[in-house]
Amino acid sequence: MANSSSNSEFELIARHFMRPTPNAVLGVGDDAALVDVTNGMDLTVSTDTMVSGTHFFPDVDPENLGHKALAVNLSDMAAMGAMPYWATLALTVPSVDHTWLAAFAKGFFDLAQEFNVSLIGGDTTRGPLSLTVTIMGEVPMGAALKRSGAKAGHDVWVSGNLGDAALAVAHRHGKLVLSEADYREAVMRLYEPTPRVALGQALRGMATAAIDISDGLLSDLGHICRLSGVGATVELAAIPVSSIGERHSADGPGLTAIVAGGDDYELCFTAPQNARDSIEDLTEILGVRLTRIGQVRRGKGVSLVGADGKPIKVDGRGYDHFSKA
Ligand code: ADP
Ligand code: MG
C-alpha cells in the first residue's frame, strides 16, 4: 500500500497477484515492470476504472468482478484492433479479505490466461472498493482501428446482441421485470462480457472506424460520428437482440436498454459496402454474430428510425458520469 511497506502487504500481493509473466522481461516485485516492444508495432495503452456503486453493484461476486475488470480493458484493445499483452492492476479494498481476494484473482487470471495477458504490476491500497486496470498491447504501425475514419455511405455494424446487460441493470433498478431465468442469463452478460479481441484484429484493414459499446449504442456510435465528422442512421428493427431482448424491446425501458444501455462490450464499427462479404465471412470464422444496422451519412448525430423511416424517440442516450440529467 502507498505509505507502507509492511510484510502483510507484500504477502497479499505475492499470494494473490504474483503469477508467471511470460510476456514480460520483468514482472511483479520490482519498482517497475519491463517489457520488450516489438519493432514495427505501435504500443497501445488504455485504462479503465470501476467504482463500487457506479460500475457494479456492491454485492457483486468477486470472481465476476475480477473477470469484468480485465474484460472491459480487453474490449478497448479489441476496439483498436490491438493484441493485448500486459496489464497492471490498481486495487483499492476496504479491508483484507483473503477469500474475496482469491475469488477476484481467479476471475481476473482465468480471463488473463484465456487471452495470454500477463499481469506485470499494480498497486494495492485501502479505501472504498475500486479497481483500475491499465492494459497494454501492440498493433502494427498505422493499422489501429480509430474512431475517426467513418465516411458517408459506409455501413454501420455491430457484433453480438445488444441490451442484455442493461436489461439486467434495469431489472435491478425496478424499471422493468425480467423472469428469473432471463435475469440469471442477462446478468452474466453484465458481469462476464466477452471481449471481441479476435474480431478487432480481423477487422484491421476492413473497418474504417470502431468503438466498443460500453455506454450504449447511440452514445458510442455518436462518438464515431463526432470524430469522423459524419452522421449515422440506425434502423431499430435491424439491431440484433437476444430472445430476452426480443421479449422486452416493445416497452420503453426495454428499448432504452437495447439502444442506449451500456455494458455490452460488443464492437460497433463502420466499413465500406464492398467489405460486406468479407465481414459476413468473419461470422463463421470467428463464431460471432455480425449485423449491419445502418448507414453513415453526411451531417451530424445518430438517428434511430423505424421500418417506415420515421425517427424514434428514446429516453436516455447513454451513460454519462457527469451529465446532470
Ligand atoms: P512501490 O512501493 O514501489 O510502489 P508496491 O509495494 O506498491 O511497490 O508494489 C510492489 C510490487 O508489487 C510492484 O512490482 C507492484 O507493481 C506490484 N503490485 C502491487 N500491487 C499489485 C496488484 N494489485 N497486482 C499486481 N501487482 C501489484
Ligand atoms: Mg505502489
Side-chain angles (χ1 to χ4, degrees), residues 235-312:
E235 253 181 76
L236 176 61
I239 298 174
V241 293
S242 70
S243 56
I244 306 169
E246 261 166 40
R247 284 192 276 285
H248 294 273
S249 58
D251 54 60
L255 176 64
T256 300
I258 291 161
V259 303
D263 279 307
D264 287 313
Y265 295 98
E266 293 295 346
L267 295 186
C268 175
F269 57 95
T270 61
Q273 295 183 12
N274 64 16
R276 281 180 188 176
D277 288 347
S278 325
I279 291 170
E280 266 151 23
D281 287 346
L282 290 179
T283 293
E284 228 167 276
I285 298 168
L286 301 173
V288 50
R289 186 177 189 182
L290 295 171
T291 311
R292 205 150 32 84
I293 59 165
Q295 291 284 312
V296 180
R297 53 170 168 73
R298 271 190 280 278
K300 262 188 176 180
V302 180
S303 15
L304 183 68
V305 300
D308 53 7
K310 289 208 180 109
I312 294 169

Side-chain angles (χ1 to χ4, degrees), residues 3 17 24-25 30 57 102 138 140 143 158 161-162 180 188 192 211 249 262-263 271 280 285 306 308 317:
N3 307 322
F17 299 111
V25 178
D30 213 303
F57 295 111
E138 291 182 346
V158 293
N161 294 321
L162 302 191
E180 231 182 283
M188 286 319 289
E192 302 217 332
I211 191 167
S249 58
D263 279 307
E280 266 151 23
I285 298 168
D308 53 7
R317 299 279 292 191

Side-chain angles (χ1 to χ4, degrees), residues 135-245:
I135 193 152
M136 287 148 281
E138 291 182 346
V139 63
M141 259 173 195
L145 304 176
K146 295 187 272 190
R147 296 178 176 181
S148 52
K151 298 224 156 38
H154 289 179
D155 296 319
V156 179
W157 294 79
V158 293
S159 66
N161 294 321
L162 302 191
D164 285 358
L167 284 165
V169 174
H171 173 90
R172 283 286 300 250
H173 287 153
K175 292 187 178 148
L176 50 78
V177 180
L178 301 184
S179 72
E180 231 182 283
D182 281 358
Y183 175 69
R184 262 201 310 273
E185 198 180 320
V187 84
M188 286 319 289
R189 295 269 296 156
L190 176 66
Y191 287 139
E192 302 217 332
T194 306
R196 303 297 187 187
V197 174
L199 174 62
Q201 287 168 49
L203 288 173
R204 288 197 303 245
M206 230 184 261
T208 48
I211 191 167
D212 65 323
I213 304 178
S214 55
D215 297 331
L217 171 66
L218 297 182
S219 157
D220 288 321
L221 177 55
H223 294 314
I224 286 185
C225 288
R226 197 168 32 83
L227 284 162
S228 298
V230 293
T233 302
V234 169
E235 253 181 76
L236 176 61
I239 298 174
V241 293
S242 70
S243 56
I244 306 169

Side-chain angles (χ1 to χ4, degrees), residues 1-4 9 13 31 122-125:
M1 302 204 182
N3 307 322
S4 104
E9 180 200 340
I13 296 164
D31 293 311
D123 202 11
T124 309
T125 51

